[in-house]
Amino acid sequence: MKFAAPLRPRSMAAAALAVATALLSVAGAEWASVTQDFPFGAFEVRTQPFGVAVVARQSGVAIRVQACHETAAREASPHETIPVCAPGTWPGRAEPGAWTEAWAAFDAVLGRPRVSWVAARDRPISIVVRPDAIALRFEKRVTGLGPGIAHYAHAFALEDAHVVHDGRGIAYTRLDDAALLARLGLEADTDPDPWRGLPEDAAYLALLDTRSGAALYLLGQPGSRLRVDRRRNIVLRQERLSTPQGSPLEVAVRLHAALPAGLAP
Amino acid sequence: MIAALAAAALFYLLPLAAGASLLGRGGRRPALPDAWIAGTLALAAWLAAVNVAAGLFGWQAGTRLALLQAGAAALALPALLALARGGRGGLAVTDVPLTAAGLAAAAAAVAVWRADSPYPALLNWDMFEHLALSEQMLRGHVHLSLRSYSDTFTLDTYLPFYHALLSFPRALLAPDPAGFAWSLDTLHTFVAVGVTGWTARRVLGSRSAAAWAMVVAAFSFESHVAYTSLFHMPQTLTAVFFTAALGSIAGGATGTPALLRWAAFLVASHFFVGVLAGPLVIGFGLLARLEPARARRLAIAASAVAAGALAAALVARHAGGLVLDPFGTAESAHFTLGPADVWRLMRRAHGFASLLLLPLGALLLWRGPAPGPALAAATGVALAAALSPLPYVMKFATLFHFLGAMVMAAGLRLLASGAGIVGITAWLAAWLAIFGTGQKASFKREPHHGVHTLSSADERAAAAFLRERFPPETALLVGEPATQHILEGLSGVNTQGGTFASGRTRDLVDRLWPADAATAADAALQVRDRLAREAPSRVLIAVGGRFFAWQAAEPRHRRASHFNVWRPRDMAPADWEALAQWRASDRLRLLFRNDGVALFEVLPPTAEAPSATISSTRSPR
């Protein structure tokens, strides 16, 4: 069949038009999927449907997650990734804005729904931890930590957590689902502000199962043994501190990962 | 890998060769769609006949398999021999540069897609259930209803031609199931691109436009529900057939019997896609016969009807008058998208190119000779259907993929080819970038040990263990839905519903953990497959990283069929430790374990615990 002829002559104008339209078209591509693979400096920005995550390149630890606009957790379909988001309830200081939103659960994005939070005194920073990002090790058997810890160890992939203390019950929960709580053999956490009384400049690592809403956090004493996972470039230091109730110390992990200027609390 | 690739090639070659053998007698060369239909029907009929006879006369599996092999050879060999001689029925390459362009485009797309998903890492979730159904066919089952083969299928959405075609290469070469599926997906990209070029050359009448159509077809990936260019599925195969039918019509085969024949086959191949594809083929064929002016008038009418229907659907949806869950499952509501969602997905597939190239290409086609107006109208109808706010309508994007590629190619020929090497290079780079970003955004956010896949090597090892050790009809595997789905597809061992496990099964699986061995064993023994003719002699429980992740999910998610633990999960040491009581129990016997999966056999309450026979692909921790 006769078909519309190409533009003639092959002028510069035609070439410019072709290049311009190609550029225009490619501008609509899903570039967000690529930025996660192009680190700048030690950190990279992963633009995800739920917001923006700033991720330590070598460790895989996200140190900043901006707001997620979905309130209902839902799983992605096999062929289409939809962000899994759950409203954070942690630890009751959420402010609108970049740093203090407590959002969680990015199974479709960064790995298992295991989320850690580094909390400054009043500015908790959400930390998304991929299961392979932090290597901790429980030296004691998890059974020595009570059934709650045993369950959590496995819910949070804390099987490698390095615990050097006596391992008394340190599980705190923030669980709305009472049935699940009972199923896991856990006690409800009634402390409305578990961070109260902690040093202002401290950053503490806690772990939160956002799918169930349950949380575990570990507190410790300065000068405790260090465990440094240099392989993943994560510097974790245990610190001995007071628990919110002033009881003897549990294990704490302080995150000393170098935060870039402007991102540190 | 070679056997898997060869088996995948046979998926296409056997029906084409059988059809050419049957219809090509007397020097005739059948139309491509007719050859495919005849070959498919002949092979499916032979499989049915052998299975029915085997049931009547009690033939052994070996006899049945030999007869399937002999039948396939008898049907296909005449045309294959002719092909080898380069004679009638041969697939002669008449346009080497165009063929080379298509091969290069498809190879580039496959290289990008498979760079982090190498053999045999599967990303096609549906393929597991197709393998399971084909397995049932190879075991002697025969029926027109999908649901009669496996309760993994909850709806009859097509006749099982696709699975018959899957079965013959498996009967002939016994390829590794995962490798076979991976090879089918990979080869599908080449076939889809090739058919696009073949049809575009005929419809658009331009080699450069055909080349651009292949580029667009290779580098645009509809990543939700449709999956046209990268996944081998009944719906995508139906869309390829649809495209070939359009090419045959443009090549002159516009007889009414042929149109009706092809439309009927399209509907049979996929009831949902075929409902649109069939009328489109007939409409395209009728319009192609008409004078351009009259064709345009009718095309305008068709487009107006489509636009009106779309508008009505949108209004009804907005007013809350549309029921979006016709099957009463959460899944159909889950797969209902609005225009904004579809546009987001179109952006992922085309960037902004569709905004520019679809109107431009449609305008050029509209003003051009037949069958240009027909192609423009068909594309508009398919796009309107895909945009409508009804469940699963994105399946219509399988048709739009090919139609849209040809329309956009018409625009690209003007824009890019007209600008010479600069324009061509710019647009090739643009499409490569669009594809590279789009395919990554869709499926590749969570690698498992560096590989993007839906089934891990550990799961494949578990499936191989099951296939080797368990006569398929004697065992029932119980696990969380994703593990059931994968292991049933790859091993052939039955499960209740695979990923579409019933609510009762989900409740029972829920009770497996946390629970002691006796409770778990009793729960597993209560799982029933509605299609099983007799109770399984052995019941197995599969646990692993997915199992524990599923157990940790919210209850409403554990009940939902559209919720799955999609990616492989390793079993954490704590998971393994937590199973200590199971391992020590006399109700469960550990049969197999690796880093991803552990398989337990359920023992009856009164049985003495036999010594464990543990098979492990890795050293125990």
Side-chain angles (χ1 to χ4, degrees):
Chain A
M1 75 179 220
K2 298 278 285 181
F3 193 72
L7 288 178
R8 292 286 191 272
R10 293 181 178 178
S11 62
M12 289 297 289
L17 180 65
V19 172
T21 51
L23 286 174
L24 184 67
S25 297
V26 85
E30 188 97 17
W31 289 106
S33 70
V34 180
T35 56
Q36 64 185 21
D37 285 347
F38 288 93
F40 30 91
F43 295 87
E44 61 188 283
V45 174
R46 296 183 180 181
T47 306
Q48 302 291 2
F50 61 82
V52 175
V54 180
V55 182
R57 184 163 60 89
Q58 291 190 25
S59 68
V61 176
I63 60 167
R64 175 181 178 177
V65 178
Q66 278 190 331
C68 167
H69 46 73
E70 291 203 14
T71 55
R74 63 173 176 156
E75 178 79 333
S77 75
H79 301 311
E80 175 61 17
T81 302
I82 299 171
V84 180
C85 301
T89 56
W90 180 282
R93 292 200 197 92
E95 300 168 6
W99 290 95
T100 55
E101 294 287 341
W103 299 102
F106 308 103
D107 187 30
V109 180
L110 289 175
R112 303 191 202 186
R114 287 155 192 162
V115 179
S116 299
W117 307 90
V118 168
R121 182 172 60 89
D122 60 353
R123 298 175 68 187
I125 302 168
S126 53
I127 298 275
V128 178
V129 181
R130 292 199 299 205
D132 58 349
I134 290 185
L136 303 171
R137 179 174 300 285
F138 276 118
E139 275 190 346
K140 295 200 171 199
R141 303 290 294 175
V142 290
T143 50
L145 300 175
I149 291 296
H151 281 293
Y152 275 126
H154 132 131
F156 297 130
L158 271 181
E159 60 275 3
D160 292 322
H162 183 92
V163 175
V164 293
H165 71 118
D166 61 0
R168 294 183 312 116
I170 52 173
Y172 286 77
T173 64
R174 290 197 167 274
L175 194 58
D176 296 330
D177 185 345
L180 180 60
L181 184 68
R183 188 172 161 217
L184 293 176
L186 296 173
E187 296 176 354
D189 175 22
T190 56
D191 183 359
D193 185 3
W195 302 102
R196 183 178 60 249
L198 298 179
E200 292 187 2
D201 62 345
Y204 304 95
L205 184 72
L207 299 150
L208 176 71
D209 179 355
T210 52
R211 187 168 279 178
S212 68
L216 161 71
Y217 43 92
L218 307 173
L219 310 173
Q221 181 181 44
S224 299
R225 265 173 54 185
L226 293 176
R227 175 170 175 79
V228 179
D229 189 339
R230 298 187 187 285
R231 184 165 54 88
R232 293 192 175 94
N233 198 29
I234 298 174
V235 182
L236 297 173
R237 196 171 76 190
Q238 297 162 355
E239 296 191 354
R240 189 167 289 277
L241 301 167
S242 294
T243 61
Q245 291 77 24
S247 57
L249 293 186
E250 313 298 350
V251 168
V253 183
R254 179 168 179 171
L255 180 62
H256 286 267
L259 300 177
L263 292 179
Chain B
M1 185 177 184
I2 291 173
L5 283 168
L10 282 180
F11 178 93
Y12 294 100
L13 285 177
L14 279 178
L16 280 176
S21 300
L22 291 168
L23 301 179
R25 301 180 194 285
R28 288 192 306 128
R29 183 167 185 172
L32 189 62
D34 282 331
W36 182 265
I37 292 174
T40 300
L41 293 179
L43 288 167
W46 178 246
L47 186 144
V50 168
N51 283 353
V52 167
L56 288 175
F57 302 116
W59 294 341
Q60 297 296 311
T63 307
R64 198 160 32 76
L65 205 61
L67 284 170
L68 290 180
Q69 293 165 342
L75 284 167
L77 269 181
L80 289 177
L81 291 174
L83 174 65
R85 291 195 301 267
R88 171 181 55 80
L91 302 174
V93 175
T94 55
D95 192 331
V96 173
L98 194 60
T99 306
L103 284 173
V110 166
V112 170
W113 176 242
R114 292 299 182 188
D116 45 16
S117 183
Y119 182 91
L122 269 182
L123 288 165
N124 182 345
W125 185 254
D126 292 2
M127 186 54 89
F128 296 107
E129 62 186 331
H130 297 312
L131 288 171
L133 197 152
S134 153
E135 185 86 27
Q136 293 296 324
M137 281 184 166
L138 288 171
R139 280 185 215 152
H141 297 289
V142 57
H143 205 283
L144 286 176
S145 165
L146 303 177
R147 292 187 299 159
S148 71
Y149 292 89
S150 165
D151 52 7
T152 303
F153 288 85
T154 55
L155 293 171
D156 288 311
T157 46
Y158 34 82
L159 297 179
F161 296 145
Y162 176 81
H163 307 89
L165 297 185
L166 282 182
S167 300
F168 279 96
R170 298 182 79 181
L172 286 164
L173 298 177
D176 167 65
F180 179 46
W182 186 96
S183 303
L184 282 170
D185 280 345
T186 301
L187 197 57
H188 169 72
T189 304
F190 286 89
V191 171
V193 171
V195 169
T196 304
W198 183 79
T199 297
R201 180 71 181 87
R202 291 166 165 225
V203 172
L204 302 177
S206 156
R207 293 175 71 213
S208 67
W212 280 117
M214 289 192 287
V215 168
V216 178
F219 293 144
S220 57
F221 174 47
E222 296 78 7
S223 58
H224 186 68
V225 179
Y227 322 122
T228 305
S229 56
L230 298 175
F231 287 5
H232 194 273
M233 312 163 79
Q235 66 188 36
T236 57
L237 193 66
T238 301
V240 169
F241 179 90
F242 163 77
T243 309
L246 298 189
S248 294
I249 292 168
T254 56
T256 303
L259 298 181
L260 294 174
R261 201 162 55 234
W262 298 344
F265 186 76
L266 281 165
V267 174
S269 298
H270 200 288
F271 299 158
F272 197 90
V273 173
V275 160
L276 180 63
L280 280 180
V281 161
I282 293 173
F284 186 87
L286 294 178
L287 286 178
R289 296 177 188 174
L290 301 177
E291 290 295 318
R294 195 172 172 204
R296 273 187 213 105
R297 284 198 298 275
L298 285 173
I300 287 172
S303 303
V305 168
L310 172 62
L314 290 172
V315 168
R317 166 74 190 275
H318 186 67
L322 272 183
V323 178
L324 300 179
D325 193 8
F327 305 121
T329 66
E331 191 193 59
S332 54
H334 186 72
F335 287 113
T336 301
L337 302 181
D341 298 319
V342 177
W343 164 241
R344 182 174 58 83
L345 293 166
M346 281 183 70
R347 250 189 79 176
R348 182 178 288 176
H350 308 125
F352 289 140
S354 58
L355 283 181
L356 175 71
L357 296 177
L358 280 177
L360 177 62
L363 181 66
L364 292 170
L365 290 166
W366 195 260
R367 296 177 57 190
L375 176 61
T379 307
V381 170
L383 181 58
L387 285 169
S388 62
L390 298 170
Y392 303 112
V393 290
M394 276 297 288
K395 285 185 183 292
F396 293 141
T398 53
L399 305 176
F400 173 76
H401 173 86
F402 297 99
L403 296 167
M406 288 189 278
V407 173
M408 285 193 267
L412 278 168
R413 179 175 181 265
L414 180 72
L415 262 183
S417 300
I421 190 68
V422 174
I424 292 170
T425 304
W427 271 100
L428 280 177
W431 277 111
L432 192 58
I434 290 167
F435 177 70
T437 55
Q439 58 90 27
K440 189 169 180 55
S442 310
F443 287 82
K444 298 184 172 176
R445 286 190 174 155
E446 189 185 339
H448 181 256
H449 299 307
V451 174
H452 289 285
T453 181
L454 294 172
S455 65
S456 68
D458 286 336
E459 288 164 334
R460 292 194 292 273
F465 170 82
L466 287 170
R467 179 174 288 278
E468 181 186 341
R469 300 289 184 87
F470 286 87
E473 275 147 349
T474 63
L476 178 73
L477 183 76
V478 178
E480 58 81 31
T483 304
Q484 288 197 155
H485 188 63
I486 290 165
L487 292 185
E488 180 171 12
L490 297 182
S491 74
V493 170
N494 189 31
T495 70
Q496 194 290 305
T499 193
F500 295 106
S502 67
R504 180 175 181 275
T505 298
R506 287 168 186 270
D507 288 341
L508 290 168
V509 174
D510 198 8
R511 283 159 53 184
L512 294 180
W513 188 261
D516 59 39
T519 306
D522 290 342
L525 288 173
Q526 292 180 54
V527 175
R528 291 283 180 273
D529 184 333
R530 70 173 172 84
L531 295 174
R533 293 164 188 161
E534 53 195 38
S537 57
R538 302 174 81 175
V539 174
L540 309 172
I541 298 176
V543 298
R546 291 187 202 252
F547 175 82
F548 290 106
W550 188 85
Q551 294 288 357
E554 291 181 26
R556 64 190 174 92
H557 283 154
R558 295 200 296 272
R559 297 279 304 181
S561 62
H562 61 275
F563 172 87
N564 270 306
V565 183
W566 302 113
R567 277 83 174 184
R569 306 281 174 94
D570 287 344
M571 191 158 48
D575 296 339
W576 182 244
E577 291 300 318
L579 292 169
Q581 195 270 337
W582 280 27
R583 285 178 281 148
S585 165
D586 60 359
R587 292 297 312 281
L588 295 172
R589 177 172 56 159
L590 179 67
L591 298 175
F592 174 94
R593 77 161 288 229
N594 56 28
D595 287 349
V597 182
L599 299 172
F600 289 88
E601 180 174 5
V602 177
L603 302 174
T606 54
E608 290 185 10
S611 57
T613 307
I614 300 177
S615 171
S616 176
T617 56
R618 308 205 181 156
S619 357
R621 293 187 179 95

